[in-house]
């Protein structure tokens, strides 16, 4: 049983600001830092640092091979990563405010160069025994889901960012959804609902899926047919929330892969997220399993 993460690789330009810029306003950033990032890269690194094998497929621009080296060093199998001649590595412009909250603008770059031929080539090495982990920062998502489903792979989707293109993907093939409050509201549409109602509506729409809903400081919810569960956060001094969701996703998937129950996997994921928010940047903030075990000795 292997995990293939077909996902984005970005460079994050993180601007520390007093507050998020408003329409028509110009503000001065206190600091600019550049970090490796991308939900794909972050989640692969979280999986590798949690101690399990992960294959990453995705595209970078020419000249950014240091990102591949960094992933390799973290323990990610990078044999399927390719370089694009036509596009630069994807990037994110991130504003980080004084409370550690962020807002993100993405430029897809090479992440949007994922072709059907490349997908076919990578998927031909995987089978019904394997998991496919996806976010929504690369091109040809619908094709990827169709082809993975045809091969019997189990699909885990973090529908982030949520957009029209994703709505028209064959979401019925998804075995696990891991999403936040904004994404679930966008996916369901309609009236504003309480989180418990939202997660049950998701289950109604996707009865054979398992749903994980992350709620920031308010913890997270898990639901599958006949069972639901609320997980509290492990409180931390928040420095930067970037990649907290990716650490959560990586560690949750790691728990499932290790055969933990959903409850145990949610607990592990919450511990990882609590360590991630306490340090700056995306990739650098993703904890190693040893750090997690040291911080939470009963883990
Ligand atoms: O989840 C955080 C990530 O979202 C950042 O690293 C950024 O690149 C965007 O993909």
């Amino acid at each position: 049983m292997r995990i293939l993460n077909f996902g984005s690789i970005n460079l994050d330009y993180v601007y520390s600001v007093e507050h998020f810029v408003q329409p028509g306003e110009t503000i001065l950033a206190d600091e600019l830092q550049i970090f490796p990032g991308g939900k794909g890269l972050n989640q692969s690194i979280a999986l590798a640092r949690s101690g399990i094998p992960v294959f990453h497929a995705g595209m970078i621009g020419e000249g950014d091979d240091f990102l591949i080296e960094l992933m390799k060093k973290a323990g990610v199998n990078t044999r399927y990563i390719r370089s694009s001649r036509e596009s630069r590595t994807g990037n994110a412009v991130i504003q980080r405010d004084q409370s550690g909250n962020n807002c993100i603008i993405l430029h897809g770059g090479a992440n949007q160069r994922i072709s059907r031929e490349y997908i076919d080539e990578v998927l031909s090495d995987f089978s019904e025994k394997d998991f496919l982990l996806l976010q929504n920062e690369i091109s040809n998502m619908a094709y990827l889901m169709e082809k993975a489903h045809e091969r019997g792979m189990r699909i885990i989707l973090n529908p982030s960012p949520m957009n029209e293109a994703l709505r028209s993907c064959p979401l019925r093939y998804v075995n696990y959804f891991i999403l936040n409050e904004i994404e679930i509201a966008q996916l369901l549409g309609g009236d504003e609902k309480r989180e418990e109602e939202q997660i049950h509506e998701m289950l109604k729409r996707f009865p054979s899926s398992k749903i994980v809903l992350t709620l920031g400081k308010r913890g997270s919810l898990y639901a599958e047919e006949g069972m639901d569960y609320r997980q509290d956060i492990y409180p931390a001094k928040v420095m930067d929330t970037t990649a907290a969701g990716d650490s959560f996703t990586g560690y949750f998937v790691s728990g499932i892969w290790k055969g933990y129950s959903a409850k145990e996997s949610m607990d592990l994921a919450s511990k990882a997220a609590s360590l991630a928010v306490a340090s700056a940047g995306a990739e650098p903030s993703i904890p190693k399993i040893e750090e997690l075990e040291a911080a939470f000795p009963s883990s």
Side-chain angles (χ1 to χ4, degrees):
M1 184 168 75
R2 294 166 307 160
I3 299 181
L4 168 67
N5 182 7
F6 219 129
S8 59
I9 302 174
N10 290 339
L11 284 168
D12 290 352
Y13 293 81
V14 182
Y15 297 84
S16 303
V17 293
E18 205 234 318
H19 63 267
F20 298 150
V21 69
Q22 301 297 304
E25 188 186 23
T26 302
I27 57 171
L28 209 56
D30 296 328
E31 195 184 3
L32 166 63
Q33 291 167 294
I34 303 172
F35 295 110
K39 289 184 205 306
L41 175 147
N42 297 339
Q43 293 178 19
S44 280
I45 288 196
L47 281 158
R49 290 192 181 150
S50 77
I52 66 165
V54 54
F55 293 83
H56 190 100
M59 285 261 189
I60 55 170
E62 279 187 326
D64 286 334
D65 288 3
F66 74 96
L67 290 165
I68 301 182
E69 289 313 312
L70 173 130
M71 292 174 85
K72 254 190 211 158
K73 203 165 156 220
V76 177
N77 187 315
T78 59
R79 90 161 72 126
Y80 298 109
I81 299 179
R82 304 278 181 269
S83 294
S84 161
R85 289 214 180 124
E86 289 83 28
S87 294
R88 295 165 55 172
T89 299
N91 68 69
V93 173
I94 303 183
Q95 297 180 57
R96 181 176 65 209
D97 73 8
Q98 290 179 329
S99 336
N101 292 318
N102 66 40
C103 52
I104 302 180
I105 302 176
L106 278 180
H107 179 254
N111 297 311
Q112 294 298 321
R113 293 270 171 188
I114 308 293
S115 65
R116 292 182 171 208
E117 295 69 32
Y118 172 38
I119 290 171
D120 289 342
E121 182 196 323
V122 175
L123 290 191
S124 66
D125 283 352
F126 292 86
S127 70
E128 76 286 347
K129 297 195 197 83
D130 303 320
F131 282 102
L132 174 67
L133 172 61
L134 295 172
Q135 311 76 30
N136 187 29
E137 293 187 347
I138 59 171
S139 48
N140 268 317
M141 285 287 292
Y143 186 79
L144 193 39
M145 284 186 199
E146 281 294 348
K147 292 293 158 183
H149 180 74
E150 273 173 31
R151 304 191 79 80
M153 293 179 81
R154 281 158 292 170
I155 301 176
I156 304 167
L157 174 67
N158 172 214
S160 182
M162 186 62 215
N163 58 17
E164 263 324 300
L166 192 62
R167 223 187 286 272
S168 57
C169 285
L171 298 178
R172 62 191 177 281
Y173 299 154
V174 174
N175 299 82
Y176 286 88
F177 285 93
I178 306 176
L179 72 183
N180 69 20
E181 302 148 276
I182 297 177
E183 290 144 10
I184 201 169
Q186 289 172 338
L187 205 153
L188 294 174
D191 307 334
E192 241 176 64
K193 292 183 193 65
R194 288 188 313 118
E195 55 222 29
E196 284 83 3
E197 289 170 340
Q198 286 177 316
I199 201 163
H200 286 119
E201 187 170 337
M202 270 296 280
L203 258 191
K204 247 194 234 156
R205 286 207 200 171
F206 305 102
S208 52
S209 307
K210 296 168 171 132
I211 323 284
V212 177
L213 175 60
T214 59
L215 301 165
K217 283 187 198 133
R218 289 180 299 109
S220 43
L221 294 175
Y222 175 88
E224 65 175 67
E225 184 71 34
M227 191 282 239
D228 51 40
Y229 172 70
R230 180 178 278 273
Q231 169 73 47
D232 286 335
I233 60 156
Y234 287 88
K237 191 165 181 294
V238 178
M239 181 166 187
D240 183 354
T241 55
T242 315
D246 298 327
S247 299
F248 184 102
T249 298
Y251 271 81
F252 178 81
V253 174
S254 169
I256 296 298
W257 188 87
K258 287 175 181 163
Y260 293 3
S261 67
K263 240 180 183 179
E264 289 165 335
S265 302
M266 295 278 283
D267 184 63
L268 184 69
S270 301
K271 288 172 176 161
S274 114
L275 294 180
V277 297
S279 50
E283 172 276 324
S285 72
I286 300 167
K288 297 195 177 89
I289 188 74
E290 305 83 58
E291 291 164 342
L292 190 145
E293 284 165 354
F296 303 98
S298 60
S299 302

